[in-house]
Amino acid sequence: LPWQEDVSQVLEGVPGDIMEKVRILADKAKGMGYPIYLVGGFVRDILLGRRNEDVDLVVEGDAVPLLESLAREGLDVSIHRRYGTGTITFSDGRKVDLATARREFYEYPVAQPTVSMDSLKHDLYRRDFTVNAMAVCLSPQWGLLVDYFGGRADLKRGQLRVLHNLSFVEDPTRIFRGVRLEGRLGLRMSQDTERLAISAVRGGLLNLLSGPKLRSEVELIFLEKDFVWDVERLRELGAWDAVFPGVPVGASGVKALRKLSMFRRRLGKDLPDFGRDVWLAFLGGLLYFGSPWGARGAVDRLSLSPREREVVEKILGDLGAVESAIGAKGEMRWSVICKELERFGRLVVFAWSGLTDKWRVRRRMLLYLTRLSKVLPMLTGRDLIDLGVPRGPMVGALLDALRLARMDGEVETLEDERAWVLKRLVEA
Ligand code: CTP
C-alpha cells in the first residue's frame, strides 16, 4: 500500500490563480467519475513550499472524454488522442497538462500479467526519481498524498533516488535532470543512485543521446541559477569527459564560469539582457580551455544552429588580439574601446570578461557591457535630415559618429548635438 497523508493544508498554500484552474478541472473529473491527481514536479515543489507554474494532472480512465467535455464548455483545449493527453490554456494564458494514467498493458503487450498495479502506480513508476513520483489526489479524495516509492521520506532527507536500476539506461537525460534537481533543491543522490549514474556515464550511454537532446540538457544546466555547482557535479560524475572528449573541464574553466556568474549577480540589470542565449557564453567559457579539435567536436556534437555556432566560435577565437587592442595602460578613449569590442557582439564580450586574466581588459569589457553599448545619440535620422544632411549613407554614418562623440563626452545636450552636426556639415 502506498504511503498516504492528508496534504490539503499544503494545497491551501498554492497561489489562488493556479488553484482556481486545478479546482475547475478536478470538479469536472469528479462529475464524470474519473479519479484525478496532481503529479510530478508540481507535487514535489509544493511539498517543498516552492512555487511551480507547471501543473500536471493525471486521470485514471481516459483523459480524452474529459478534455472533450471541457472543450465543449468553451475552454481552449488541444487534444492528442494518440497519447490520451491534452493541454488546457486558460484565458490568463496559464496552461495545464492533463494525461491519462497509462496501464501497463498499453505499453508492454507481452509483460507478465503477474504484476498487477493500478494505473496510477504504474504511471508514477515510469518516472525518473522518487521525489517526482508522488501524486496528490483531487478526486475522489481531495488533498490525499499518494506516495508508493518513498518520495516524501526522500524529500525530507534531501535524497534523490531513482525508482529502479534501469532508470538512467531507459533515459540518460535523467543524469542531467538529476544534477539540476540536486543543485536547485539542495538534494543529494543516494549512494546507489550515484553509482548507477556513474556507471551509466562510464557505459557510454550519454553517447546515445541525439545532438538536439544533449543540447537541450546542457542548455538547461547553464540556465540554472547556480549553474557552476551543476558543472562541477557533472564533472564529478564524469559526464563532461563523456560528452566532450578533448575538452578537459578543469580549474580554469570553472574559474571563468565563477567569474561570469559573479558578474551577473553583481551587475544584475546593468548587464544587457541576453535572454536564454546567455548559455552560449557559459558554454564558450567551458570549451575555451579544450583543444581546438575538442572544442570543435563539442560544437558539432550539440548540433548548434549556425548563429549559435558563430557565437561560440568567436568566443574561442581571438581573445588575445582583443586583449592587446584594449589592454593599453593609461587613459583610453571610450569610443575606441567600444569600436574594438562591438564588432564581436555583447555576448562574446561577456564570455571574454570571464576568460581574460588581465584586469584592465576585464574592466573595459564590463564598462562596454554596462554603459558604452547602451549609448545612443539624442538626435534621430529624421532630425539630421531636417538639419540639412542629405538623405543617404551620410545620415547613418553621422549618427554613428555622433554616438561615439557622446561616449567621449564631446556632446551632452541636444544643442551640443545639433552644433556638432552642423559643424560636420560645414566641414563636409
Ligand atoms: N520525467 C522522467 N524522465 C525524463 C523526463 C521527465 O521521468 N527524462 C518525468 C519526471 O518525473 C517529471 C515528469 O516526467 O516530473 C514531467 O517532466 P517535466 O515536465 O520535464 O518535468 P517537471 O517535473 O515538470 O520539471 P521540473 O522537474 O524541472 O520541475
Side-chain angles (χ1 to χ4, degrees):
L1 274 183
W3 171 261
Q4 302 192 336
E5 182 184 335
D6 177 21
V7 295
S8 45
Q9 282 299 107
V10 176
L11 293 182
E12 301 288 315
V14 177
D17 60 321
I18 298 179
M19 271 327 271
E20 171 197 353
K21 279 91 186 175
V22 170
R23 272 180 207 283
I24 292 172
L25 302 178
D27 286 346
K28 187 76 204 168
K30 189 173 189 174
M32 295 177 73
Y34 290 121
I36 185 167
Y37 304 84
L38 288 164
V39 292
F42 185 80
V43 171
R44 176 199 72 215
D45 283 344
I46 63 173
L47 289 173
L48 289 171
R50 290 173 64 97
R51 204 181 162 96
N52 186 323
E53 311 281 323
D54 298 323
V55 181
D56 282 309
L57 291 167
V58 158
V59 173
E60 278 186 310
D62 190 353
V64 172
L66 180 56
L67 288 158
E68 284 171 340
S69 168
L70 292 162
R72 278 196 300 277
E73 284 172 18
L75 288 177
D76 175 357
V77 180
S78 73
I79 306 181
H80 310 284
R81 279 166 216 286
R82 207 173 141 212
Y83 300 106
T85 63
T87 303
I88 304 113
T89 307
F90 289 91
S91 50
D92 60 0
R94 198 173 279 292
K95 291 177 196 266
V96 173
D97 287 324
L98 195 69
T100 307
R102 310 220 190 137
R103 287 203 97 93
E104 61 192 330
F105 68 83
Y106 288 139
E107 284 180 89
Y108 308 111
V110 291
Q112 313 90 309
T114 45
V115 209
S116 102
M117 294 196 268
D118 66 79
S119 56
L120 176 71
K121 180 173 178 185
H122 194 274
D123 188 282
L124 296 172
Y125 189 63
R126 294 181 305 127
R127 292 167 188 257
D128 46 7
F129 302 103
T130 62
V131 296
N132 285 338
M134 294 180 274
V136 174
C137 183
L138 300 172
S139 172
Q141 199 175 338
W142 178 265
L144 185 72
L145 177 75
V146 181
D147 176 15
Y148 288 96
F149 311 109
R152 185 74 175 117
D154 282 342
L155 210 50
K156 284 189 171 146
R157 272 183 293 184
Q159 181 163 276
L160 193 68
R161 205 156 52 83
V162 287
L163 291 164
H164 55 80
N165 288 353
L166 291 178
S167 189
F168 293 126
V169 177
E170 258 171 32
D171 184 351
T173 64
R174 289 174 173 170
I175 295 164
F176 292 95
R177 289 177 60 82
V179 167
R180 287 199 297 275
L181 288 174
E182 284 187 313
R184 194 188 318 152
L185 305 176
L187 304 177
R188 201 58 206 210
M189 289 186 194
S190 71
Q191 249 179 26
D192 280 348
T193 294
E194 182 171 300
R195 195 173 41 75
L196 291 166
I198 291 174
S199 63
V201 170
R202 291 214 181 116
L205 287 168
L206 291 175
N207 296 331
L208 303 179
L209 294 176
S210 71
K213 250 206 175 130
L214 180 64
R215 172 235 156 89
S216 138
E217 293 301 324
V218 173
E219 180 179 356
L220 287 171
I221 290 289
F222 283 125
L223 291 175
E224 286 291 316
K225 197 163 150 239
D226 193 6
F227 65 91
V228 184
W229 189 92
D230 294 34
V231 166
E232 293 199 277
R233 178 68 170 135
L234 285 165
R235 176 165 67 145
E236 239 170 57
L237 297 175
W240 296 122
D241 290 339
V243 294
F244 300 149
V247 181
V249 171
S252 321
V254 170
K255 190 172 142 212
L257 296 187
R258 257 190 226 298
K259 274 195 214 149
L260 291 177
S261 176
M262 181 187 75
F263 297 156
R264 202 165 54 153
R265 211 173 37 247
R266 292 226 184 122
L267 300 172
K269 289 203 187 317
D270 288 342
L271 279 180
D273 179 5
F274 297 114
R276 286 181 79 92
D277 275 352
V278 74
W279 83 280
L280 294 167
F282 303 145
L283 175 68
L286 199 66
L287 300 183
Y288 188 80
F289 298 95
S291 65
W293 66 267
R296 204 165 316 116
V299 170
D300 286 341
R301 176 72 179 95
L302 294 174
S303 325
L304 300 184
S305 72
R307 181 189 64 85
E308 295 166 333
R309 179 182 273 272
E310 198 186 319
V311 171
V312 175
E313 276 165 5
K314 275 191 194 161
I315 295 171
L316 303 181
D318 228 359
L319 175 55
V322 177
E323 285 175 337
S324 334
I326 64 162
K329 278 192 192 151
E331 289 283 298
M332 187 164 210
R333 292 238 308 275
W334 285 9
S335 60
V336 174
I337 299 174
C338 185
K339 271 194 289 193
E340 285 297 335
L341 294 180
E342 71 185 350
R343 55 208 167 98
F344 299 102
R346 296 178 302 176
L347 194 48
V348 172
V349 175
F350 178 56
W352 281 342
S353 71
L355 285 165
T356 182
D357 47 20
K358 308 207 165 18
W359 65 269
R360 201 176 277 116
V361 170
R362 182 163 53 250
R363 215 189 49 202
R364 286 172 176 163
M365 286 177 165
L366 293 175
L367 173 73
Y368 166 73
L369 291 171
T370 55
R371 299 185 56 188
L372 307 187
S373 66
K374 295 173 190 163
V375 173
L376 286 173
M378 296 168 101
L379 293 177
T380 64
R382 179 76 247 166
D383 296 333
L384 262 58
I385 290 165
D386 290 346
L387 284 171
V389 178
R391 283 174 196 279
M394 194 175 172
V395 176
L398 273 181
L399 278 177
D400 198 47
L402 185 54
R403 177 175 68 99
L404 297 172
R406 166 166 288 282
M407 227 172 272
D408 290 336
E410 290 170 27
V411 297
E412 211 171 298
T413 64
L414 198 57
E415 265 326 298
D416 295 344
E417 287 201 356
R418 286 205 186 99
W420 186 94
V421 172
L422 291 174
K423 184 151 171 263
R424 292 306 118 123
L425 268 183
V426 174
E427 284 168 5

